[in-house]
Amino acid sequence: MTFKKQSVTVLGSTGSVGVNTLDVIAAHAERFEVFALSAATQTDLMLAQCARFKPRYAVMASASHAQDLAEKLKSNGLPTQVLHAQDALEMIASHEEVDAVMAAIVGAAGLAACMAAAKAGKRLLLANKEALVVGGEVFMQAVRAGDAQLLPIDSEHSAIFQSLPEDPATWAERVEKIILTASGGPFLKRDVATLRDVTPDEACAHPNWVMGRKISVDSATMMNKALEVIEAKYLFGLKPSQIEVVIHPQSIVHSMVQYLDSSVVAQLGTPDMRVPIAYGLAWPGRVASGAKALDFKAMANMTFEMPDDQRFPGLQLAWDVLSGPMGTPAILNAANEIAVAAFLDKKIRFDQIHAVNTATLESVVAREVTGIEDLLELDLKARAFSQNLARSMEC
C-alpha cells in the first residue's frame, strides 16, 4: 500500500519522548520524514539527529546554544537552518508544509507552540500534558477553531483513546467512567515517615519507565497522575467525578474505560513509549512500534490497589483545582514545576514539594481568564510565589 509521506515536527526531540519518536520515524522512513526539530540545550545530540534525519530547521532555546549548533552543523557540512526562541518554535509547529507535530517539550514552555499547531489545524500528538493542563478550555477552543486532530501520547490517555468508541458524540451516552492506572513509582512500599529523606537520584529511579528527571519525580509524588486527571477531563469531555485512579505496579494495563453496562475495556502493552507514539503517528492505522510484545506466559500476577492519601497527598489536588475557577490548574502546574526543580537542585526536601503546591494554590487566585495571555500571566505569578516560598524553605 502506498502512503503519502507525512512531514513531522518534533518539539523536544532530545528528550525521551522525542528520541523514541525519531526511532519510530526511522523505522518507517517510507511514511514519515522530519521537517524540524527543537531542543533546549543538548547541542551534541541535536547535531547527531540533524545528521541522521536532515531536518530543514533546528530550534534551540537560546541564542548561545543556537550559535553553538550552527557552528557544529557548518563544520560537518550539514544544511539545517538553526533558529532560536519562542517565535521559531511556533513557526515550525504551524508551518504549512508540516502535517504532524509531536509536542514533547516538558512543562508550560510548550504551550504557545501547541496553540500555534492547533490553530493551524495540524495533527497534534500531545505528549506534553502540561500544555493542556495550563491551557485547559482555551487550548481546546483553539483545537476546535483550527479543526486540528488532537491525539494523546501519554500512555494512559492513549490507552483511553484506544478503548473509547470511534465516534466522540457517543461517549457521553455510553461511558460510565475512565480509570487511569498508575505504577505508584519507586516509593509505593516505602515507609511514609522516611519520604522526607528521599534523594533526587532515588526519586528518579522509576521501576518501569525510562523518563526525564522532572516527570520521574512527578511519578514518585504521583503529581503526574494529578496532571493526567486534569488532562483527561479536557481531552475526553468528562466530569471530574467520572475519572478514577488505581495503582497498578506492573504497568501492563495502561488504562481502562468502564461502560454503562459495567463492562470494562482496557489497553495492555509493554511499558514502552514507542507504542503510543506509533499509534499517534499512524492513526487511524497502525505500524510496528519496535516494542516487545507481551508474553502472557511469562507475566507475573497483575495487581491493583487504591492510592494512599498519606503517601500521595498531591493526587487529590487534581479534583480540587478542577472545581476551582478557570486557570486554577495553571497555578498548580507552575507551582509543581518550581517545587520539583528546587528538589532536584537539593534546595527543598521531597515532602516539601506538596507544601509548595498547596501554599501556592491557597495564595495565588485565578481571576478572569479569557485567553492564553491571561493564563501565561497567571503562570508567572504562581512561579514567582513558588520560587520565593521554596527559597524560604531551603535546606
Side-chain angles (χ1 to χ4, degrees), residues 35 51 59 73 113 150 162 210 215 246 298 334 346 349 378:
F35 177 81
V59 177
L73 287 169
L150 182 61
Q162 294 181 57
V210 177
I215 192 172
V246 64
K346 301 182 180 180
R349 300 191 312 268
L378 196 57

Side-chain angles (χ1 to χ4, degrees), residues 269-285:
T270 52
D272 189 321
M273 281 304 298
R274 290 177 296 177
V275 175
I277 289 168
Y279 181 75
L281 284 169
W283 184 86

Side-chain angles (χ1 to χ4, degrees), residues 92-111:
I92 64 171
S94 60
H95 196 282
E96 61 181 6
E97 294 183 32
V98 171
D99 299 304
V101 177
M102 171 58 75
I105 295 175
V106 175
L111 175 58

Side-chain angles (χ1 to χ4, degrees), residues 175-195:
V175 174
E176 178 74 23
K177 62 182 178 182
I178 65 173
I179 304 164
L180 300 174
T181 58
S183 70
F187 308 133
L188 181 59
K189 301 301 180 184
R190 181 164 170 158
D191 183 352
V192 174
T194 70
L195 292 179

Side-chain angles (χ1 to χ4, degrees), residues 145-226:
D147 196 25
Q149 291 180 332
L150 182 61
L151 299 176
I153 299 302
D154 268 348
S155 62
E156 297 83 358
H157 299 87
S158 176
I160 295 298
F161 186 70
Q162 294 181 57
S163 301
L164 284 166
E166 289 188 9
D167 184 2
T170 69
W171 293 354
E173 63 189 36
R174 299 172 68 180
V175 174
E176 178 74 23
K177 62 182 178 182
I178 65 173
I179 304 164
L180 300 174
T181 58
S183 70
F187 308 133
L188 181 59
K189 301 301 180 184
R190 181 164 170 158
D191 183 352
V192 174
T194 70
L195 292 179
R196 61 177 284 130
D197 302 320
V198 162
T199 68
D201 286 344
E202 289 174 330
C204 291
H206 196 282
N208 300 336
W209 297 91
V210 177
M211 305 181 293
R213 288 173 69 79
K214 193 271 182 182
I215 192 172
S216 294
V217 175
D218 282 348
S219 180
T221 62
M222 252 173 97
M223 269 304 301
N224 72 319
K225 209 55 53 177

